[in-house]
Amino acid sequence: GSRSAQQGAAGGDGSAGGAAAHTPSTEDFSLSLLDTNLPAEAETELRSFIAKRLTKGALFEGMGNVASVGLSIPEVKVGCYYCRFQQESLLEMAALESDINAPEYVVCFLGGSEKEDTFRLELDKYIQNLKINLDLEQKNLEACVSPYLRSWFEDAICPIQRVVQLFQDKLASLLHAALSYTPVEVKNADERTEKDIGRFLAAASLQGLVQEGTMTSLCIAMTEEQHKSMVIDCSGPQPQLHNAGSNRFCEDWMQAFVNGAEGGNPFLFRQILENFKLKAIQDINNLKRFIRQAEMNHYALFKCFLFLKNCGSGDILLKIVKVEHAEMPEARNVVTVLEEFMRE
């Protein structure tokens, strides 16, 4: 934005939109409105909120924040995701020529509550793609950026909901594939459906929650077992699954998704997915604790076996701990015995 004092404090944006802003070390900056679909009064209030955040230096480049904002239309507090970023090409130019100030942008997305926080990573990726579009289409900002901004909710928030509605009771197999790192091949699907399935699998996997080495080893092990690859054929109205796995744990959680589908709230589905992963991690940690005890105690070994039998997800948990304990002789022996018991 311009640093000339005449412009005063300008723009913010609405449910979709963006405002340009210079990096503010003091209050000597201005905001210019680029696009919004908020009513004028609410837009002014949002602009004021963003200006205060910029003045405090509370916006880091490329990292989204979520906060509650009071707007007069509607007269409630709404959740606001906001993110500051710069165009890469202009940033490089500004570094070379010190008299050029690279413009900066703030994008805000408004929803019904602060639950946007559960989609922060998706929205951060959405902004990264916007940066790429801006770099490619600098000359035609409005034609390129406006349609992209207005589809943020459909593209970033709704994929999980669409997958739940598409798969219904077959969702258990998708959850099982995500937990076990089974390769998934999607056939005869349109581009959006294929992307939705990929996003669901990424959101449901334990990536970032289990050790990276474990994840890599699991991926290699599952890819080597070619007959285990799951194929999803979307040529009909309902997807057909081949080589699909499932277990009681995934079927129980599938029921939670199907029950939640009546309300049709995408934030609820994301919360169920987070709870699903949390429970899986708790079960993994419990099993690891039992295995440590079982190295010295036969009763603890029996407890391990009972836990695996009753948790509903013994097949996956055993694979995960087997990979993690591959280099530990005592624990590896315990896992081998458990595998034999589970097979019997």
Side-chain angles (χ1 to χ4, degrees), residues 34-318:
L34 289 185
D35 189 24
T36 186
N37 60 0
L38 265 185
E41 190 181 346
E43 186 271 313
T44 305
E45 291 162 348
L46 182 61
R47 182 186 306 189
S48 167
F49 167 79
I50 293 297
K52 281 176 192 166
R53 293 289 167 126
L54 285 165
T55 304
K56 290 175 183 171
L59 276 76
F60 297 103
E61 211 275 340
M63 286 175 61
N65 298 271
V66 176
S68 187
V69 187
L71 299 178
S72 55
I73 305 172
E75 292 180 354
V76 290
K77 289 202 167 193
V78 294
C80 174
Y81 166 92
Y82 56 98
C83 184
R84 176 173 74 86
F85 71 93
Q86 288 172 283
Q87 282 175 254
E88 300 289 348
S89 53
L90 293 182
L91 196 58
E92 288 161 16
M93 212 183 296
L96 295 171
E97 302 177 43
S98 54
D99 59 330
I100 292 179
N101 280 327
E104 297 191 56
Y105 302 88
V106 179
V107 173
C108 304
F109 297 132
L110 299 181
S113 70
E114 283 188 54
K115 289 175 182 171
E116 278 83 353
D117 202 30
T118 57
F119 285 94
R120 193 193 312 232
L121 291 176
E122 282 88 344
L123 291 171
D124 282 351
K125 279 183 195 166
Y126 202 70
I127 299 300
Q128 286 301 318
N129 288 334
L130 177 62
K131 281 172 76 166
I132 295 164
N133 286 346
L134 272 179
D135 285 343
L136 296 175
E137 303 279 350
Q138 286 171 37
K139 292 173 189 170
N140 197 355
L141 200 66
E142 282 186 35
C144 149
V145 174
S146 294
Y148 185 82
L149 287 174
R150 286 169 200 280
S151 61
W152 74 275
F153 194 79
E154 278 294 309
D155 290 353
I157 307 295
C158 292
I160 292 171
Q161 181 180 19
R162 286 196 293 265
V163 168
V164 172
Q165 289 167 344
L166 178 66
F167 279 79
Q168 301 286 324
D169 57 350
K170 292 178 181 172
L171 194 71
S173 296
L174 211 55
L175 293 170
H176 188 269
L179 269 192
S180 59
Y181 300 94
T182 302
V184 174
E185 191 183 338
V186 182
K187 292 181 174 178
N188 304 315
D190 59 71
E191 189 185 354
R192 188 172 85 162
T193 302
E194 192 166 349
K195 274 187 182 172
D196 284 353
I197 292 169
R199 284 176 180 175
F200 184 92
L201 289 166
S205 81
L206 300 181
Q207 189 165 5
L209 299 174
V210 296
Q211 294 169 21
E212 207 168 307
T214 301
M215 210 174 65
T216 307
S217 303
L218 271 170
C219 288
I220 292 166
M222 294 309 291
T223 307
E224 283 171 355
E225 296 178 31
Q226 280 303 318
H227 63 283
K228 293 272 187 176
S229 295
M230 186 168 91
V231 178
I232 301 171
D233 185 352
C234 295
S235 52
Q238 272 272 302
Q240 297 301 311
L241 310 184
H242 306 282
N243 302 327
S246 188
N247 59 29
R248 198 174 73 248
F249 180 79
C250 293
E251 279 159 17
D252 289 346
W253 280 97
M254 173 271 294
Q255 204 55 54
F257 280 102
V258 172
N259 292 343
E262 294 164 17
N265 181 346
F267 298 105
L268 173 64
F269 291 127
R270 185 49 188 265
Q271 196 54 61
I272 295 171
L273 203 54
E274 293 304 313
N275 293 343
F276 162 78
K277 293 196 292 185
L278 183 63
K279 184 67 176 84
I281 287 293
Q282 285 173 345
D283 285 351
I284 290 168
N285 290 338
N286 282 332
L287 181 58
K288 284 186 196 170
R289 195 175 74 249
F290 289 145
I291 287 173
R292 279 197 302 274
Q293 293 167 0
E295 288 172 18
M296 283 109 46
N297 181 326
H298 287 298
Y299 178 67
L301 179 63
F302 183 64
K303 265 170 73 176
C304 269
F305 169 63
L306 285 181
F307 178 76
L308 280 171
K309 211 171 118 180
N310 296 326
C311 71
S313 196
D315 56 331
I316 294 174
L317 298 189
L318 207 49

